[in-house]
Amino acid sequence: MSGSTFMFYLLGLLTVFSALLSVTSRNIFRSAIYLLFSLIGIAGLYFWLDYQFIAAVQIVVYVGGIAVLIIFSIFLTQQSGEKLPPVPGGRVFFSALAAAAGVALVMSTMIRYGFAITGSGNAPTAAQIGEEMLDINGYALPFELVSMLLLAAMIGCIVIALKKTETK
Amino acid sequence: MEPGLYHLLAIGAVLFFTGIYGFFTRRNMISMLMSVELMLNSVNINFIAFNKYLWPGTLGGTFFTVFVIAIAAAEAAVALAIIINLYRSHQSINVEVAEEMKY
């Protein structure tokens, strides 16, 4: 087994097992930390695929931004050391059944489909992505729309989370 | 066996349905949000895998991934603001507690 293959399986196992622990842990803070490791594993998979730009974005936005935001919200809304109530057995059984059936369906469809793999070309560089983002015939319009969306989300968050002042 | 497209798609499928499982079993809003993040990440893995192995040299999958990440960040920020506001008024973030608009 070559080093590259070994790294792939290591990252894949890290991602999948952390995700499984994240959705099953009864301590919500641990659940958030497992989610963090799962996101790091996914960033590692992007590095393994040579998509350095996406991997960097994943680390900056998910690991550095969303995970920290989630941990802060847990601190603000949860008593420390308090565990989540146990999930009823019937719900666990049927959810696991639905998830397993979904995995089986997707896997069987995927294997039978037979994708026409055209070899792996070079991953786009950050310079290419930047040029395409500002190209009027490329992705300039979605890029501007997403920036407007982020601005709207930022203002919306401030308005929603603002503490109401007492009216006299 | 050299890992390729199918291995990545398998990881994506397992991650997505892990997120589905978490979304079905959890009743805490922050936990449910974490499950949604897992699902969004599995979709990103699929986009990148398809871009690398089926359409090498194009930028479509990369751009979809970048936009999904940006929208996921906006969604997480708004959702957490709503959750914190809900906690202030209900002292709980269980989805079954917030039922004023149900009837």
Side-chain angles (χ1 to χ4, degrees):
Chain A
M1 188 189 274
S2 69
S4 164
T5 312
F6 176 72
M7 276 313 289
F8 176 83
Y9 284 115
L10 194 69
L11 290 167
L13 284 179
L14 170 73
T15 307
V16 169
F17 274 103
S18 315
L20 283 172
L21 285 170
S22 167
V23 296
T24 49
S25 171
R26 278 188 51 207
N27 186 327
I28 187 168
F29 184 71
R30 274 191 203 160
S31 170
I33 299 296
Y34 287 132
L35 178 74
L36 190 75
F37 278 107
S38 187
L39 296 174
I40 290 173
I42 292 168
L45 282 178
Y46 294 152
F47 273 123
W48 186 84
L49 286 166
D50 273 338
Y51 279 67
Q52 283 100 353
F53 180 74
I54 301 293
V57 168
Q58 169 88 5
I59 288 178
V60 168
V61 176
Y62 267 109
V63 181
I66 294 179
V68 171
L69 202 63
I70 287 175
I71 290 171
F72 264 103
S73 312
I74 290 171
F75 284 151
L76 284 173
T77 57
Q78 217 74 18
Q79 312 299 328
S80 67
E82 192 179 282
K83 285 197 167 177
L84 296 174
V87 187
R91 198 196 284 159
V92 169
F93 175 73
F94 284 110
S95 308
L97 194 69
V103 171
L105 180 71
V106 170
M107 292 282 194
S108 65
T109 313
M110 186 180 92
I111 288 165
R112 268 186 294 136
Y113 185 75
F115 293 101
I117 297 174
T118 52
S120 48
N122 287 330
T125 60
Q128 261 178 303
I129 293 171
E131 275 166 22
E132 192 75 9
M133 258 186 197
L134 296 177
D135 184 1
I136 197 78
N137 298 315
Y139 289 88
L141 182 64
F143 175 65
E144 295 299 331
L145 280 177
V146 163
S147 57
M148 285 306 290
L149 175 87
L150 283 176
L151 181 68
M154 195 166 74
I155 296 171
C157 287
I158 294 170
V159 170
I160 291 170
L162 203 63
K163 206 163 197 159
K164 307 258 182 323
T165 47
E166 297 292 320
T167 47
K168 288 173 186 152
Chain B
M1 187 178 162
E2 188 69 16
L5 175 65
Y6 287 99
H7 295 72
L8 284 161
L9 292 184
I11 290 178
V14 172
L15 268 189
F16 186 85
F17 285 100
T18 307
I20 293 266
Y21 172 82
F23 197 77
F24 283 167
T25 51
R26 298 297 181 113
R27 282 295 174 272
N28 182 300
M29 281 189 191
I30 293 181
S31 303
M32 291 171 86
L33 186 72
M34 290 197 276
S35 305
V36 173
E37 298 294 339
L38 275 181
M39 288 190 241
L40 288 167
N41 270 287
S42 74
V43 173
N44 284 350
I45 291 180
N46 277 14
F47 272 131
I48 292 292
F50 283 137
N51 194 358
K52 184 174 174 78
Y53 289 105
L54 299 189
W55 285 277
T58 59
L59 285 166
T62 314
F63 269 90
F64 262 101
T65 306
V66 169
F67 291 139
V68 167
I69 289 176
I71 290 169
E75 168 252 333
V78 173
L80 288 171
I82 291 173
I83 289 171
I84 288 173
N85 217 13
L86 191 79
Y87 181 75
R88 270 199 207 123
S89 60
H90 290 69
Q91 273 70 48
S92 168
I93 51 168
N94 193 311
V95 281
E96 277 149 13
V97 171
E99 53 177 16
E100 276 86 354
M101 289 168 75
K102 200 166 157 189
Y103 304 108

